[in-house]
Amino acid sequence: MSNSPVPTTTKSALRLSQLLRHAVVDSQGKQLGKLADVIVRLRGDDYPLVTALVVKVGSETIYVPIADVAALEPNRVELTTARLNVRAFQRRPGEVLLNADVLGHRLIDVHMASLVRAHDIYLSSDTATWAVTGLNVHQTHWWSTRKTISTDPARDWKSFEALIGHEPSVLVRAPFGKLRRLKAAQIADLIETADAKEQSELLTQVHNDPEFEADVFEELDEDSLTHLLKSRSTADVASVLTRMRADDAADAITDLPQARRREVLALLPEPQHTKVLALLGYHTATAGGLMGVEYLALAEHATIQDALDLIRTSTTQQPEALTTIYSTADDGTLRGAISIIRALQTDPHRPLREVADPDPVHAAPQDDIIDVTTRMADFNLLTLPVLDESGHILGIITVDDALEAALPQDWQRREPQTHASLTPGAV
């Protein structure tokens, strides 16, 4: 059970802007200094707990534990003592400085899968503790006639993931933190719009799950992917590409310098090395360059049930590649195709040669993108097989890859739209 304090309303919560640079007084009301920052400790999915204050006393910066604080009030902080321990402040793993790390900085709105800026921070208390429970991400401009932003809605802290840029604190978080609610494509969009420091923290968190990291890299646009791979060691690049789809890995390797390309290829395990090397022989703007080498093909005497059983066990293959079942002759040449929907609606004991559409629409590896997309649109295809001169399947093109290739570059690079999360319980 969570021990999180209950978020309060904007009216009853204390805003950080009401505390910063205001007086810190002793138990007799004498001013000792001014508040410079508030220190909180990350607690996974719980609200960060206030553990200490940073007080500016003359030219010194003093650490004051929360146990020495009698009251936090708008424009005033009262201590329980008149004496301050002048020990130097040193941040520990898991600690966040609200003013230095969060206020005015960008963080991830997990609900909307976008980067936003924290314009104020809300602190709430129960009988014993103070915790961060809310954020205001609505900017008040200098020309606004409002004298306070307290009327702006306070968003729940749990709807955000702070990018604090402090590596020891990042590493003590639960893997992914709140980012686990996001899809790979959403995190890729965040990385593409983040600055170098924000990218570094996002990549550090994503790196905790190598399989998901590969999914994120597959979703990055070409420029971002090239930039990130160039900044990594050869071993790191090979590790990521090993987990990527062979066609995406081949596209990524193409943009590396020739010498480094050979080094990365040498580190790829079989059969990934063989698949990638074969795909590198095709121009990226052709059917051969667009195709993936994962597909579902069975001998034409196999039954529908055999195909469905194979789909159930093909958990590592790209789902889009499993939407069509291909049948082959004894010599391996393509004979027929049937969609998974038609297969599910057919007697499972019937052999593929009786139910698959004969002579499926296909492409040659040298066909260009226009030929591929036109053919897929004309015949309403989710996948298009690419055949060699003998009629053997070299690979297939999925509709998502065809669509991405057909989109103009300026359309692909437009500002991504934000979409609210459908995660149950999201604020």
Side-chain angles (χ1 to χ4, degrees):
M1 181 179 295
S2 172
N3 59 353
S4 307
V6 177
T8 61
T9 64
T10 307
K11 281 187 176 181
S12 58
L14 184 64
R15 290 183 282 116
L16 184 64
S17 60
Q18 295 173 308
L19 298 173
L20 290 177
R21 292 176 291 280
H22 286 292
V24 176
V25 301
D26 63 17
S27 56
Q28 304 301 314
K30 179 182 177 182
Q31 182 169 336
L32 301 175
K34 293 185 177 182
L35 185 69
D37 218 323
V38 174
I39 303 171
V40 299
R41 176 165 289 279
L42 298 176
R43 299 191 295 168
D45 288 334
D46 284 345
Y47 297 103
L49 193 66
V50 176
T51 58
L53 307 180
V54 180
V55 179
K56 189 75 172 178
V57 180
S59 60
E60 300 293 326
T61 301
I62 308 300
Y63 174 91
V64 179
I66 195 65
D68 291 345
V69 178
L72 290 176
E73 300 172 352
N75 307 327
R76 181 175 178 272
V77 178
E78 181 181 338
L79 305 184
T80 60
T81 177
R83 301 180 63 183
L84 293 176
N85 187 334
V86 292
R87 61 173 171 157
F89 165 64
Q90 185 173 4
R91 185 199 291 212
R92 293 167 294 183
E95 288 185 334
V96 173
L97 279 66
L98 295 183
N99 185 31
D101 298 332
V102 182
L103 191 63
H105 294 266
R106 294 210 299 180
L107 30 70
I108 300 169
D109 183 336
V110 180
H111 183 49
M112 299 300 295
S114 62
L115 286 166
V116 295
R117 199 171 298 277
H119 295 291
D120 214 340
I121 301 169
Y122 293 87
L123 306 172
S124 304
S125 68
D126 53 25
T127 56
T129 60
W130 281 89
V132 176
T133 54
L135 289 172
N136 189 325
V137 295
H138 300 278
Q139 185 173 12
T140 300
H141 299 285
W142 62 268
W143 60 82
S144 173
T145 57
R146 292 181 299 167
K147 297 184 182 299
T148 176
I149 61 172
S150 61
T151 55
D152 282 333
R155 295 274 307 282
D156 193 328
W157 168 269
K158 293 182 180 181
S159 296
F160 302 91
E161 181 80 2
L163 299 172
I164 59 177
H166 182 238
E167 185 172 339
S169 293
V170 173
L171 296 178
V172 300
R173 293 179 177 180
F176 278 123
K178 303 180 186 73
L179 295 184
R180 62 180 177 270
R181 304 180 200 170
L182 300 181
K183 296 178 174 59
Q186 292 175 311
I187 294 181
D189 285 342
L190 292 174
I191 290 173
E192 289 166 3
T193 57
D195 61 30
K197 184 178 178 181
E198 293 164 346
Q199 282 185 349
S200 177
E201 183 160 344
L202 282 165
L203 291 170
T204 297
Q205 293 200 50
V206 168
H207 192 62
N208 287 315
D209 185 336
E211 297 296 336
F212 190 74
E213 179 184 39
D215 292 340
V216 170
F217 272 71
E218 286 178 355
E219 297 292 345
L220 290 169
D221 65 41
E222 184 178 324
D223 291 341
S224 297
L225 179 60
T226 300
H227 173 74
L228 291 176
L229 291 182
K230 284 182 178 178
S231 65
R232 293 193 162 204
S233 69
T234 299
D236 282 346
V237 172
S239 177
V240 171
L241 297 187
T242 295
R243 294 176 173 84
M244 292 172 64
R245 287 166 40 195
D247 53 329
D248 289 320
D251 291 340
I253 287 179
T254 300
D255 294 322
L256 294 176
Q258 182 65 36
R260 191 142 189 249
R261 192 183 309 172
R262 288 195 296 268
E263 294 173 355
V264 171
L265 280 169
L267 293 178
L268 294 181
E270 295 288 352
Q272 182 79 334
H273 179 274
T274 301
K275 293 177 181 178
V276 171
L277 200 59
L279 291 171
L280 288 174
Y282 300 106
H283 192 283
T284 56
T286 65
L290 287 179
M291 71 181 182
V293 291
E294 294 180 348
Y295 55 89
L296 190 65
L298 293 88
E300 60 182 343
H301 56 75
T303 65
I304 291 292
Q305 188 62 58
D306 293 332
L308 296 179
D309 289 342
L310 185 57
I311 290 175
R312 290 190 186 95
T313 60
S314 300
T315 55
T316 61
Q317 288 201 35
Q318 179 193 10
E320 292 83 357
L322 303 176
T323 58
T324 308
I325 302 164
Y326 295 102
S327 61
T328 58
D330 292 338
D331 62 358
T333 55
L334 179 64
R335 280 295 178 86
I338 182 173
S339 73
I340 188 173
I341 300 300
R342 277 199 59 210
L344 289 169
Q345 296 169 340
T346 301
D347 181 350
H349 302 294
R350 296 185 67 183
L352 291 174
R353 63 171 172 268
E354 293 181 3
V355 294
D357 294 329
D359 192 22
V361 178
H362 58 273
Q366 66 272 17
D367 292 346
D368 63 28
I369 292 174
I370 300 300
D371 288 336
V372 167
T373 53
T374 300
R375 212 166 304 166
M376 295 185 76
D378 285 346
F379 292 93
N380 299 316
L381 300 177
L382 294 178
T383 63
L384 178 69
V386 180
L387 309 183
D388 65 14
E389 294 179 353
S390 301
H392 294 85
I393 303 177
L394 296 171
I396 65 168
I397 300 170
T398 57
V399 67
D400 58 318
D401 287 339
L403 181 61
E404 183 178 353
L407 286 174
Q409 286 296 316
D410 56 345
W411 180 256
Q412 292 184 35
R413 295 180 181 178
R414 74 196 190 286
E415 187 70 21
Q417 290 182 284
T418 56
H419 299 280
S421 170
L422 295 179
T423 304
V427 178

